[in-house]
């Protein structure tokens, strides 16, 4: 079984939703719960999992190796948090639910 850890999912969420990311398209942050559910279904093949869920634009972004490397650097430098990070404020999730920001700068 492939783990659905922060190591595998956080860079994708940061690439998709972190404001100021060097991506070509803006994505609806309100879709993050659907995206996360799809990614957890098949974390070993994130782009295909997103396509299977009908998340076409998210799938394209998840295939951008340069953007994913950028997101990994932000995470490695402790510059951002995503909803899968253990340090992400749990209260935001409990109070805001799906309206909680999926990725934030620290």
């Amino acid at each position: 079984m492939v783990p659905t850890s922060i190591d595998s999912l956080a860079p994708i969420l940061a690439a998709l939703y972190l404001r100021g990311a060097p991506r070509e398209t803006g994505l609806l942050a309100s879709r993050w719960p659907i995206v996360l559910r799809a990614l957890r279904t098949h974390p070993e093949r994130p782009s295909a999992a997103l396509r299977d869920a009908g998340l076409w634009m998210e799938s394209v972004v998840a295939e951008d190796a340069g953007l994913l490397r950028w997101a990994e650097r932000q995470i490695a430098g402790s510059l951002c948090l995503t909803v899968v990070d253990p340090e992400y404020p749990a209260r935001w999730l409990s109070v805001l639910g799906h309206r909680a920001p999926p990725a934030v700068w620290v």
Side-chain angles (χ1 to χ4, degrees):
M1 182 174 154
V2 177
T4 57
S5 70
I6 181 176
D7 295 334
S8 62
L9 301 180
I12 297 168
L13 291 171
L16 290 170
Y17 300 116
L18 196 57
R19 286 187 179 199
R23 61 180 171 272
E24 302 260 337
T25 183
L27 299 167
L28 294 175
S30 62
R31 292 172 62 149
W32 74 260
I34 300 164
V35 167
L36 189 56
R37 195 172 317 121
L39 291 172
R40 284 186 168 151
T41 304
H42 296 291
E44 72 282 1
R45 49 184 202 92
S47 184
L50 293 168
R51 274 194 311 275
D52 291 348
L55 301 163
W56 300 101
M57 291 303 296
E58 290 85 348
S59 171
V60 170
V61 172
E63 290 176 349
D64 185 334
L67 181 57
L68 292 173
R69 280 192 303 275
W70 174 88
E72 288 168 352
R73 285 193 305 273
Q74 307 318 302
I75 292 165
S78 299
L79 299 174
C80 69
L81 293 173
T82 69
V83 293
V84 297
D85 192 309
E87 301 299 320
Y88 187 89
R91 185 132 168 92
W92 287 4
L93 290 173
S94 66
V95 172
L96 299 173
H98 72 279
R99 293 175 307 198
V104 295
W105 292 102
V106 177

